[in-house]
Structure formats: C-alpha cells, structure tokens
Amino acid sequence: MGKKRRRFDVVSEKVEVKSEAGLHARPASNFVNTAQRYKSDVKLTVNNKTVDGKSILGILSLGIAKGTEIEITVSGPDEQEALAALIPVVQS
C-alpha cells in the first residue's frame, strides 16, 4: 500500500524587487531564512529560470537587481502564510 499524499494548491505572486542592493547577500539571506520557517516548497522564477527559494546559492545565481520582477511560487501545508511572509521581504 502506498502512502497517501495530500495535494496542495500552488499560490504565486509577481513582485518587484525594491531593495537598492537587489536580492543579493543580505536580502537573499533574509528571504531564505524566512522561507525555511515554513514547510511549503518555495520557488523563485526570473526570466524563465526557476530556483529553490530555500537555497541561498540558487537565489544568488539569478543575479536579481533592483526593479526586477520575480515570481514567488509556494506549495505546501502553509503556503498562504509563507507567501504572505515572503512578499514583504522582497519589497523592503
């Protein structure tokens, strides 16, 4: 017998990066630390490239500058809460 998997919806939102530094070093670290507080999977997409939102190296590899529009996609048991917490990290 297989283990039953609960299906989750996927929530996403496009957000413009407001930080002067873009999503580099400290802002990326803040994003990852916030994402890791949740059980849900977090993905960031920029220019058709998607990375794990809980991976600092993945985020840094995107080279996200101020004014870049990113899409945050979250799927899991606490997806709504995670998305609501991540948006202000990108916008501040």
Side-chain angles (χ1 to χ4, degrees), residues 12-63:
S12 68
E13 188 156 336
K14 291 184 178 182
V15 182
E16 182 180 334
V17 177
K18 304 281 187 182
S19 169
E20 285 296 325
L23 208 55
H24 299 280
R26 186 170 290 140
S29 177
N30 290 341
F31 187 93
V32 169
N33 289 337
T34 301
Q36 288 177 342
R37 293 194 317 239
Y38 298 92
K39 293 178 182 177
S40 295
D41 291 328
V42 177
K43 303 287 183 200
L44 282 183
T45 303
V46 176
N47 299 326
N48 296 320
K49 183 175 180 187
T50 302
V51 299
D52 182 351
K54 295 182 180 182
S55 165
I56 187 82
L57 293 177
I59 293 173
L60 292 176
S61 76
L62 294 174

Side-chain angles (χ1 to χ4, degrees), residues 58-88:
I59 293 173
L60 292 176
S61 76
L62 294 174
I64 302 169
K66 179 182 180 185
T68 302
E69 184 176 80
I70 66 171
E71 183 172 16
I72 305 169
T73 305
V74 186
S75 175
D78 50 6
E79 59 205 11
Q80 295 289 345
E81 297 87 355
L83 184 60
L86 292 166
I87 290 170

